[in-house]
Structures are given as structure tokens and as C-alpha cells.
Amino acid sequence: MTEKQLFQPLSGNEMPRFGGPATFMRLPACDLDAGLDVAFIGVPFDIGTSNRPGARLAPRQIRDESRMLRPYNMATRAAPFDSLRIADVGDVAINTFNLAKSIGIIEEHYDRLLGTGAIPLTMGGDHTIVLPILRALHRRHGPVGLVHVDAHADVNDEMFGERIAHGTPFRRAVEEGLLDCSRVVQIGLRGTGYAADDFDWSRNQGFQVVQAEDCWHRSLAPLMQDVARRLGPGPVYISFDIDGLDPAYAPGTGTVEIGGLTVPQGLEIIRGCHGLEVVGGDLVEVSPPYDPTGNTALLGANLLYEMLCVLPGVQRR
Ligand code: MN
Ligand code: MN
């Protein structure tokens, strides 16, 4: 068997940062069946949002803001492009006039991608998209553990009478047996609610719930040591809603809550997943129309890069 061909992000010394391909990290654009270890993929979907829309535009904006990312992680010493074949497989062709059909399209697309053995790192899209992704992951891996960063638990039974929307995916995932509920942590939950027990539904399923107040003014490295002990061994998915971070850092999102996590805390959460059997990750809810500086998309691009750096098989030098 010939040695697999590795791809490198296009260097800023070969092509100016503001030129070249508009893919994630200016990687090659590949088909699903390109024999990848890791696939960056976009889901331009925001018809499940309840407040400000715009996440349909995020895959393009995140790709654009990823242009500054360099291949080597100076903090963790991870060198993902030295051992893994990584590319951008483009976007899922959702039907923006039909939410239910779009869910089916996303599911089928991820079935195909997972069938190639590639690990998906997804640029959302609103948080609705995690349900079809978890369904496809379940068919390949069985119930998965979950690291879920968010201001919201996203476990509503219904929104405006609908069972599939961006505030319901993890309720549906539990009902469908997609999660290993003893290996789920939700971090950053906060804000006003409808009832005192809004977050208790999660706790009653066996989730670990870490509200934002429990994160204030402290490093999350110790929390993540505990999380890593509980979530391993076994497959783990990372679902990162950008609104888990404070709107001071990530204003470009649809459902904003004050008092959120800091950027270093977001990095600590993802870096704390090193050593886990991470089978995929997403970065959702970036809304470019509310992100005039591009900082929210820049943050999203960096968080996806950090997810790449903790995947199994990434070497540290
Ligand atoms: Mn969410
Ligand atoms: Mn949220």
C-alpha cells in the first residue's frame, strides 16, 4: 500500500493570507470519498433558530476567518497535519425551504462521510444540525459521550409546537438513545428560564451540568481532568455552541446571554478533551450578520482548529 498523501494548509509565504482558496485553513477542497482522516464540513442551515437568524452564512465566514491559522499549535505542540490526511469537503446541500427534509439530507450526507472513516469537524449552522449528526454517529459508533458547551441546555420538548428546532436536539437525542447519558457534560448553561427546574431535566438524565456561575473566575482545567476521567474510554462527540462564550467575545450569534465563559476557558475545555476517543465535533450558532468585525467567526475557526488538535492520532512535537 502506498503511503497516504498528507495535505498542508496553504502557507502565507506561498500565497497572501487574503488570497487563495476559500476553504477551511486554505486546505484542498475534496470529495467525500477522498480517503480522509478528518473532514471539515459546512452545514449552512439556520431555519431552526428561534431568535436572530444568520447562521446559514457561518460556514463561509468561518472559512474566511480561518485564513490566519497556521499548522502547528504553539501551546499544545500538536502537529495535526504531520500524521493525518485533512481537507475541506464543502457544504451539505440542505433544502432551506424544508426543515424536516434538511434533517434527512444532513443525516444521509453524514452516513456517507462516516462510511469513509473520516472524522467530521462541522461548521454550523444552528444547533438543530447536531441531531442528524448524532443519528449518523450512532449508527457507526453506538451511543456516544458528549461534551456540550452552550448557554442553553437545548433540551426543550417543543418550541412553538415543533419537536425539531435548535433548542430541542439533546432531548430528541436522549429519547432516541443516541447518547451515553452517564458520559455527558453540559458546560456554560445560564440565563433566565421558564421554571426553576429548566436545567434539572438534564441532571435527571444523568448529565453533569456545570452552570456558568460555577465557571466564573477560575480555570476549567481541573474540571476537564474530572470530565476526561468520566468520559473515557468510549466515543465522545464535542458540540460547541458559540453562545457558551460571553457575548463580549462572541457577539455574532442569535441567542445571546450575558455572564458567559471566557476565550481561555473555551480553549481549556477543548484542550481538556485530549486523550479522549473524539469521533467528531461541531462549532455552531455563529451568525455573521451580527459579527461585523469577524471576531466571532475567527473564534469559531480557532475552536475548530483546537478540536482538530485533540483528535486521536495527532502527534505532539
Ligand atoms: Mn445550542
Ligand atoms: Mn445556545
Side-chain angles (χ1 to χ4, degrees):
M1 196 178 146
T2 52
E3 211 177 319
K4 74 179 167 192
Q5 188 197 351
L6 302 178
F7 299 129
Q8 291 291 326
L10 183 57
S11 165
N13 297 314
E14 290 176 58
M15 167 67 75
R17 291 280 168 201
F18 41 84
T23 54
F24 191 81
M25 289 184 77
R26 310 196 306 168
L27 284 160
C30 284
D31 294 329
L32 290 190
D33 58 2
L36 301 176
D37 297 307
V38 182
F40 286 99
I41 178 169
V43 186
F45 171 106
D46 66 3
I47 53 177
T49 49
S50 56
N51 193 34
R52 307 193 301 205
R56 68 178 62 185
L57 302 171
R60 284 195 170 196
Q61 194 67 31
I62 292 170
R63 286 185 176 103
D64 193 20
E65 292 296 339
S66 75
R67 66 168 96 148
M68 279 288 288
L69 290 170
R70 304 173 190 90
Y72 181 70
N73 191 319
M74 300 303 291
T76 69
R77 298 181 168 266
F81 300 96
D82 286 6
S83 58
L84 299 181
R85 182 170 157 94
I86 305 160
D88 186 329
V89 296
D91 292 336
V92 181
I94 64 129
N95 178 344
T96 199
F97 305 106
N98 191 311
L99 185 146
K101 280 185 183 167
S102 293
I103 297 299
I105 292 167
I106 296 166
E107 228 178 292
E108 191 265 343
H109 201 89
Y110 277 74
D111 276 336
R112 279 175 57 208
L113 178 58
L114 294 172
T116 71
I119 295 176
L121 291 178
T122 300
M123 298 166 263
D126 74 49
H127 223 154
T128 316
I129 66 169
V130 76
L131 178 63
I133 293 171
L134 287 173
R135 285 174 175 165
L137 283 167
H138 181 263
R139 276 190 283 278
R140 187 166 177 86
H141 299 287
V144 295
L146 175 71
V147 175
H148 172 207
V149 183
D150 207 319
H152 314 96
D154 291 352
V155 295
N156 292 290
D157 189 24
E158 293 184 344
M159 298 182 84
F160 223 81
E162 298 295 330
R163 289 174 61 77
I164 297 186
H166 79 151
T168 68
F170 298 109
R171 168 86 67 141
R172 297 290 92 79
V174 169
E175 291 170 350
E176 297 178 20
L178 311 181
L179 299 175
D180 178 353
C181 292
S182 65
R183 297 195 300 121
V184 173
V185 61
Q186 297 184 298
I187 306 171
L189 309 196
R190 62 187 188 274
T192 48
Y194 289 106
D197 62 353
D198 270 5
F199 298 154
D200 289 343
W201 189 90
S202 290
R203 294 188 173 100
N204 291 338
Q205 312 311 309
F207 296 3
Q208 179 183 6
V209 175
V210 185
Q211 291 183 223
E213 288 77 4
D214 295 325
C215 302
W216 288 353
H217 318 300
R218 64 178 65 162
S219 165
L220 298 188
L223 167 74
M224 290 310 296
Q225 280 179 359
D226 172 56
V227 165
R229 264 194 301 273
R230 280 194 319 102
L231 267 56
V236 173
Y237 186 76
I238 303 172
S239 192
F240 202 119
D241 183 330
I242 199 74
D243 72 29
L245 302 184
D246 192 83
Y249 311 108
T253 189
T255 326
V256 185
E257 310 284 356
I258 64 160
L261 306 181
T262 65
V263 173
Q265 287 175 327
L267 294 173
E268 285 174 334
I269 291 169
I270 298 177
R271 290 174 183 174
C273 294
H274 177 62
L276 291 173
E277 188 188 330
V278 178
V279 294
D282 64 56
L283 190 290
V284 296
E285 299 282 354
V286 170
S287 178
Y290 297 94
D291 186 28
T293 63
N295 278 356
T296 312
L298 175 68
L299 190 46
N302 275 271
L303 293 169
L304 280 164
Y305 172 73
E306 293 288 337
M307 289 184 206
L308 172 67
C309 289
V310 297
L311 295 183
V314 171
Q315 295 169 6
R316 297 193 167 195
R317 303 195 185 289

